[in-house]
Amino acid sequence: MLVVGSGGREHALVRALARAEGNPKIVCAPGNAGIARDVEVRPLDVSRPDAVATLARELNAGFVVLGPEVPLVAGAADALRAIGIPVLGPSASAARLEGSKAFAKEIMQAAGVPTARAATVTSVADGLAAIARFGLPVAIKADGLAAGKGVVVAQTLAEATDALTDAIEHRVFGAAGDIVLIEEGLVGPEVSLLAICAGTSVARFPAARDYKPIGDGNTGPNTGGMGSVSPIPDISDADADRLVDLVHRPVVAEMARRGVPFSGVLYAGLMMTPDGPRCLEFNVRFGDPETQALMPRLAEDAVEFLGGAARGELADRPVRVHADPCVAIVLTAGGYPGTPRQGDVIHGLEAAEATGAEIYHAGTARNDQGQLITAGGRILAVAQRGITLTDARAKAYAAADLISWEGMHMRRDIAGSL
Ligand code: AMP
Ligand code: GLY
């Protein structure tokens, strides 16, 4: 089987697949230096559906898992289905749930999914009028893909105006900002609820949470994710079931009704407001870094389970997981989320691995001497299960503390608070 992508999410998926019965043959493309220690890696331009399909055919892949959103929105799943290779991931048309926030909002409204009130605008003047209606704080969102950077939650009119002008007039997100969503600002703890969907079946994972800001106490600029935890104490399994009935099932039904059936991972980003849950966004893929806390808990045979879902054979029941909570700590390069330092030698990996922690690589490479070095912003995720959340957290930090490089940073409060 082929896993497409090169981050910690893909490393966690590769490890989960490798644990399956029968010693499965796994290839990851393009992967990274850490993934290459576990399985064969192949070069790949993930933005080219034809390249993804050609590689999958050459490997005679039994099924393909598409990790990132870029190949999905570009149509890699369509290219694979066209040559008869099962794929976990939606068609380009269905991937618009992530690729266009305006489309996602339209589907949520049509499906009756509770979400923030919003207006779609294409000019600064219309945007300002919408902001005047909604009041502050207000969320300003570029419609298209912006590598996780397209949302500004503005507390003041000046911030809101800047965000709107940047997107529409300065085109800092390119065409992704031609349409902008203005949304009422909501408050409350956030929940990531991922479910694999195929046909009318929905198989949800336990709830998870990621920690986006760089600093402890959710301070500083947003990142790609500084850590994750699953389950989360404030969302029970019964709550998660209710949320899937409220969000995922109506969306899957609405997509089918429109002739764009959704098949793949549907990730709902939810906010638990005082007025009840609200859906803020969809991703059409596994979350990063949520997957790094979910895969160590997986109690399914991943090849059977994910491969079955790719072939459309999915039972309508929650994904089976180990009861033990899991905490994943992300270790980042100095300077991140600005321009990160690169090429620093990573120390202490073997000692950390010897504790039994899962070390997932994201931004690693090898230097001329063959040493593992930093090559990116988010470098590693250290994941560990425990009999309690406190235990998992203590073990994950104990393992992470054995790793070091010049300028390394981690948050100290992952899984410690909302
Ligand atoms: P999104 O990509 O739409 O999930 O937005 C990214 C982040 O922005 C979310 O995880 C929230 O922290 C925040 N956010 C998005 N929409 C809103 C909103 N309507 N009110 C407050 N915060 C929001
Ligand atoms: N954890 C956020 C994302 O995967 O987009």
Side-chain angles (χ1 to χ4, degrees):
M1 58 229 52
L2 171 64
V3 176
V4 171
S6 62
R9 164 183 54 208
E10 286 76 20
H11 201 178
L13 290 166
V14 161
R15 286 264 175 91
L17 289 165
R19 285 199 305 270
E21 292 282 308
N23 196 18
K25 168 95 169 81
I26 301 154
V27 175
C28 184
N32 59 42
I35 295 175
R37 299 202 305 177
D38 293 350
V39 299
E40 181 185 344
V41 297
R42 296 287 286 268
L44 178 67
D45 177 353
V46 303
S47 69
R48 284 186 41 211
D50 60 322
V52 175
T54 301
L55 178 62
R57 181 157 43 195
E58 181 195 326
L59 296 168
N60 195 19
F63 70 92
V64 178
V65 179
L66 295 171
E69 61 276 19
V70 166
L72 288 161
V73 170
D78 307 79
L80 289 162
R81 290 196 178 100
I83 57 168
I85 297 182
V87 51
L88 189 69
S91 66
S93 320
R96 287 183 71 214
L97 281 177
E98 176 165 357
S100 165
K101 288 180 186 289
F103 177 73
K105 185 66 74 175
E106 180 192 324
I107 295 291
M108 285 187 235
Q109 285 164 350
V113 173
T115 181
R117 286 187 305 139
T120 303
V121 302
T122 52
S123 75
V124 173
D126 288 350
L128 290 174
I131 292 166
R133 280 209 307 285
F134 292 139
L136 295 166
V138 68
I140 316 286
K141 305 185 173 188
D143 176 59
L145 292 185
K149 300 189 176 73
V151 177
V152 172
V153 181
Q155 306 294 335
T156 65
L157 188 58
E159 275 170 29
T161 311
D162 282 352
L164 196 56
T165 315
D166 278 350
I168 293 180
E169 277 176 8
H170 303 155
R171 306 196 83 224
V172 295
F173 307 113
D178 286 349
I179 299 175
V180 169
L181 234 72
I182 312 288
E183 264 188 25
E184 63 175 329
L186 301 175
V187 284
E190 288 182 54
V191 176
S192 304
L193 192 58
L194 282 67
I196 302 186
C197 306
T200 55
S201 293
V202 176
R204 67 157 181 82
F205 285 90
R209 173 164 289 142
D210 78 346
Y211 292 75
K212 290 194 178 98
I214 185 84
D216 288 6
N218 285 329
T219 52
N222 272 349
T223 69
M226 296 300 294
S228 59
V229 58
S230 171
I232 49 181
D234 40 319
I235 303 288
S236 67
D237 278 344
D239 293 333
D241 287 335
R242 275 193 291 275
L243 289 168
V244 161
D245 289 344
L246 189 69
V247 177
H248 298 70
R249 289 187 194 280
V251 165
V252 166
E254 175 63 20
M255 295 292 282
R257 200 183 64 74
R258 292 183 180 218
V260 270
F262 184 92
S263 155
V265 178
L266 184 59
Y267 160 149
L270 307 167
M271 190 173 261
M272 311 311 279
T273 78
D275 300 322
R278 297 286 183 272
C279 185
L280 297 184
E281 67 158 345
F282 290 119
N283 297 314
V284 298
R285 49 169 176 80
F286 283 106
D288 190 332
E290 288 91 335
T291 305
Q292 291 90 313
L294 289 171
M295 286 304 129
R297 301 188 62 207
L298 189 70
E300 307 274 357
D301 179 304
V303 169
E304 231 170 73
F305 189 68
L306 301 180
R311 290 187 300 274
E313 302 152 12
L314 180 72
D316 193 289
R317 59 162 176 81
V319 179
R320 276 194 273 269
V321 292
H322 298 288
D324 295 4
C326 184
V327 173
I329 317 288
V330 170
L331 311 184
T332 60
Y336 180 77
T339 307
R341 289 174 58 107
Q342 303 287 287
D344 290 302
V345 176
I346 300 171
H347 303 284
L349 267 184
E350 281 174 19
E353 273 162 352
T355 68
E358 294 271 5
I359 317 279
Y360 300 128
H361 291 235
T364 64
R366 288 194 189 274
N367 64 12
D368 293 345
Q369 291 95 59
Q371 295 166 301
L372 276 169
I373 55 169
T374 61
R378 293 187 300 161
I379 307 301
L380 300 171
V382 179
Q384 185 57 288
R385 281 164 46 187
I387 45 173
T388 62
L389 192 58
T390 313
D391 180 42
R393 181 169 189 261
K395 283 181 171 159
Y397 273 110
D401 278 329
L402 296 170
I403 301 174
S404 64
W405 61 81
E406 194 66 36
M408 184 186 94
H409 168 72
M410 69 178 112
R411 273 181 65 161
R412 284 280 157 198
D413 62 346
I414 302 304
S417 61
L418 302 183

